[in-house]
Amino acid sequence: ECLYREAVCETDGIYLSYEGKPVKAAFFPISNGRTRNASEVMPGENYPYFAGTECERDLFASEYQSRLCVAKREYCRLMREIFDTDATEEALWDSLELSYDSAEYVMSVKWNGRSCSGEVFRDVFGLNSSSFRIEWGEEEVTFYVRGVGHGLGMSQYGANEKAVSGDTFDQILQDYFFQAELVKIE
């Protein structure tokens, strides 16, 4: 608890700013090895400080990789839910088109002219992140997932690893929030 109080006292009155305005400081548990670029994830929004950065330390997290196997019947039930269809199992099986952003997170999932975001798909299937690939077997589908969370902003695992290695809080924030700066309230 003493360390927490010390951290609060050291940062009292300081905030992270980009071009004179407070940043929207997004964070998540573990990246897939890289954070996402906001210009791809939120087109039309202006968050240039979410520029995407390498997170090589995240690759060593125990939860970095996960795998989920889903039986064909359950997979098709969830696909019907996502795409609001009563299509047959044959029509739903092995027929997705995935598009990825530059950090290799799924941006969109398309089926039969319909689409949903990678985040919606991830949520419905209960995947740890939208950085995944899919393999279809005879009677089940296997999702191979990297990272935990949405991948935008600061990786909590990576930030902690940097802190343990001796990086200061301002160094860590500069690594994750491109060209943002710490400002003291006067």
Side-chain angles (χ1 to χ4, degrees):
E1 186 177 309
C2 183
L3 289 175
Y4 297 118
R5 286 181 189 205
E6 185 179 323
V8 169
C9 289
E10 283 182 25
T11 59
D12 186 34
I14 298 174
Y15 67 95
L16 193 59
S17 170
Y18 183 83
E19 295 184 346
K21 296 179 183 172
V23 302
K24 294 188 182 217
F27 57 91
F28 58 95
I30 303 167
S31 79
N32 71 349
R34 181 166 184 79
T35 63
R36 301 175 82 177
N37 188 323
S39 65
E40 295 174 306
V41 179
M42 301 177 290
E45 299 289 329
N46 188 23
Y47 301 111
Y49 47 86
F50 293 135
T53 189
E54 295 295 323
C55 301
E56 61 280 343
R57 297 174 196 213
D58 287 13
L59 280 60
F60 300 103
S62 62
E63 295 174 312
Y64 169 72
Q65 291 185 2
S66 59
R67 185 180 77 165
L68 176 68
C69 296
V70 179
K72 186 174 190 175
R73 180 179 215 156
E74 178 65 3
Y75 171 83
C76 291
R77 183 187 74 74
L78 293 171
M79 288 288 290
R80 287 183 187 106
E81 179 183 313
I82 291 169
F83 294 107
D84 191 26
T85 183
D86 59 357
T88 66
E89 285 187 355
E90 293 74 31
L92 293 166
W93 197 246
D94 193 14
S95 59
L96 293 181
E97 179 184 328
L98 305 177
S99 63
Y100 293 85
D101 63 17
S102 62
E104 299 182 14
Y105 286 81
V106 174
M107 290 291 297
S108 69
V109 178
K110 294 181 182 175
W111 173 80
N112 198 29
R114 301 173 188 190
S115 69
C116 74
S117 74
E119 288 297 316
V120 166
F121 192 88
R122 162 201 171 199
D123 186 53
V124 170
F125 277 93
L127 305 176
N128 282 346
S129 90
S130 63
S131 179
F132 62 85
R133 65 183 179 81
I134 306 172
E135 286 183 9
W136 286 268
E138 292 277 329
E139 292 299 318
E140 70 180 12
V141 63
T142 304
F143 294 94
Y144 296 92
V145 185
R146 293 183 303 144
V148 179
H150 52 67
L152 187 66
M154 183 177 70
S155 161
Q156 292 172 301
Y157 181 88
N160 186 64
E161 287 296 301
K162 288 173 184 276
V164 167
S165 295
D167 288 8
T168 62
F169 76 92
D170 54 328
Q171 291 170 321
I172 294 167
L173 291 172
Q174 288 174 358
D175 285 347
Y176 289 105
F177 300 97
F178 181 69
Q179 295 184 338
E181 58 187 3
L182 291 169
V183 176
K184 179 99 171 133
I185 298 173
E186 299 187 28

